[in-house]
Amino acid sequence: PRDFEGKVSLDGDLTATDVKIAWYGDRLAIINPTNKSGSVTLKGIGADRLKELGRQRNYKASGFFSKSFEIEVEPYDLLVFEKQQ
């Protein structure tokens, strides 16, 4: 795995030490091994859309110049995303 090098913002109960965000090949994973929930906003992914593979959810980037994705994270979540163009 390689660390996600874009910008990360957290809301809710989550802190930077709670979640791990990393690339596994061409897949982006958000891992929350805690009992906390909140939202994670990611910038710098390099895609207009993401597909969350476990729940089959589609996310569209917001913002024109600085595209970002806001993702709700539940306790003990493991979310895996694939870039969509």
Side-chain angles (χ1 to χ4, degrees), residues 61-82:
S62 62
F64 186 72
F65 292 108
S66 180
K67 296 181 179 182
S68 65
F69 295 89
E70 185 174 337
I71 299 159
E72 292 299 318
V73 177
E74 298 298 325
Y76 309 107
D77 254 350
L78 168 58
L79 303 173
V80 179
F81 299 90
E82 177 180 74

Side-chain angles (χ1 to χ4, degrees), residues 9-15 36-41 70-73:
S9 302
L10 303 169
D11 288 325
D13 296 329
L14 296 172
T15 65
K36 301 174 186 177
S37 62
S39 66
V40 176
T41 302
E70 185 174 337
I71 299 159
E72 292 299 318
V73 177

Side-chain angles (χ1 to χ4, degrees), residues 11-54:
D11 288 325
D13 296 329
L14 296 172
T15 65
T17 58
D18 291 332
V19 295
K20 167 109 173 121
I21 303 169
W23 290 102
Y24 291 81
D26 63 347
R27 306 284 168 91
L28 180 67
I30 299 176
I31 303 167
N32 176 19
T34 72
N35 64 352
K36 301 174 186 177
S37 62
S39 66
V40 176
T41 302
L42 303 173
K43 292 182 181 177
I45 290 180
D48 292 328
R49 293 181 294 192
L50 291 176
K51 182 172 191 169
E52 197 271 302
L53 299 175

